[in-house]
Amino acid sequence: MRRLLPVTDMTEPETAGREWSLDELADAYAYPELPSAGAAGSGGEAGDGAWLRANMVSSLDGAGQHDGRSQPLSSEEDMRIFGTLRALADVVVVGAETVRLEGYRPARAREAFAARREAAGQGPAPAIAVVSASLNLDFSLPLFTEPLVPTLVLTGAAAPAERVAAARAAGAEVLVAGDGAGVEPARARAVLAERGLRRQLTEGGPRLLGQFVAADALDELCLTVSPTMTSGAAQRIAGGPAVAVPTRFQVASVLEQDGFLFTRYRRI
């Protein structure tokens, strides 16, 4: 069964038993109208004009991955939503460890979203922005050698100079978003917004998401609840230091198919 479960009455029979089109998914996951830069906004540095959403998957017992990868928890519909969220974004922000473990490739242009992106003033595909303090990355990977849009590397001012040079030699654009070796989450979203990349999507990993949460820089969470149990000691979807007071989110929508719940929460 496949259906949208609205927050109000949790029933919408006309959607049951059929597959949502990509246009319907794009409408359901559309970014909110963004404030202009300098206006008061939620999350990150005040007035950066950005909206940062995360897309993650979790098992029923809280695992954010299995054997180091999220794919075993996923499904075909989860991947359709994954692709839709990418197609709506200006930039996809991802941690270096996730790039290494998940075999990240460049985002591709998709004909189904071409008109929508053009109308929104977007390029053919989102940029990928890799967050790394050490820049310990394989710059011979397609992510760096074959991107439709140049791959970005977010790092700190004290990052190793030889690795910064290697990134630039590979064609990546290096952006400084921290005074030390590492990246400051609020600075990262502000630096990207300054380049016009305001519709932001992070796909983790857990350490990066935890940093955004701790910095109060996350506006929205799109969480797939997988009907699986993994046990073991797998990491949660967000890791790192605990926040002093839990950040409250409210349900924006819930979509269900074959036991998978595709939830969307916005920060209160």
Side-chain angles (χ1 to χ4, degrees):
M1 178 177 292
R2 192 173 192 283
R3 52 182 175 157
L4 178 68
L5 306 177
V7 177
T8 50
D9 60 11
M10 303 299 283
T11 58
E12 195 163 299
E14 64 270 21
T15 66
R18 71 170 179 86
E19 183 176 87
W20 273 32
S21 69
L22 291 178
D23 276 339
E24 288 174 316
L25 287 176
D27 288 341
Y29 284 95
Y31 279 82
E33 184 175 348
L34 300 180
S36 58
S42 61
E45 297 188 351
D48 64 13
W51 183 270
L52 176 62
R53 66 170 30 150
N55 182 31
M56 302 292 281
V57 62
S58 171
S59 69
L60 293 176
D61 52 342
Q65 52 191 233
H66 184 68
D67 286 339
R69 300 177 65 240
S70 60
Q71 190 277 331
L73 305 179
S74 186
S75 68
E76 182 178 345
E77 189 60 26
D78 183 46
M79 294 311 297
R80 290 184 80 232
I81 292 174
F82 173 93
T84 299
L85 293 176
R86 278 197 165 196
L88 297 174
D90 296 326
V91 61
V92 179
V93 186
V94 61
E97 185 65 12
T98 297
V99 167
R100 289 187 284 264
L101 290 174
E102 301 279 357
Y104 258 61
R105 299 185 64 83
R108 59 189 177 91
R110 299 183 61 187
E111 182 61 33
F113 298 98
R116 187 182 291 264
R117 290 187 65 85
E118 183 177 3
Q122 296 172 300
I128 303 293
V130 183
V131 176
S132 177
S134 67
L135 276 70
N136 180 22
L137 299 161
D138 183 354
F139 294 117
S140 68
L141 292 174
L143 178 61
F144 300 100
T145 61
E146 302 174 9
L148 185 62
V149 179
T151 294
L152 309 174
V153 176
L154 290 163
T155 192
E162 68 279 5
R163 297 307 297 165
V164 171
R168 288 175 172 153
E173 296 185 33
V174 180
L175 305 178
V176 174
D179 295 329
V183 168
E184 299 164 20
R187 286 268 300 273
R189 60 176 276 163
V191 165
L192 293 170
E194 288 170 4
R195 296 174 61 88
L197 305 175
R198 301 168 64 205
R199 304 174 188 90
Q200 300 172 4
L201 169 68
T202 179
E203 297 169 351
R207 182 171 176 271
L208 179 61
L209 179 56
Q211 291 173 343
F212 280 125
V213 172
D216 199 26
L218 186 70
D219 297 301
E220 180 178 329
L221 173 64
C222 298
L223 176 64
T224 296
V225 181
S226 171
T228 56
M229 298 281 283
T230 67
S231 190
Q235 194 168 12
R236 294 160 36 180
I237 65 167
V243 297
V245 178
T247 306
R248 287 292 304 274
F249 286 71
Q250 63 184 4
V251 179
S253 66
V254 182
L255 179 69
E256 184 272 341
Q257 182 184 32
D258 298 331
F260 284 81
L261 296 180
F262 305 101
T263 69
R264 188 162 57 94
Y265 294 86
R266 290 187 175 182
R267 190 175 56 177
I268 297 174

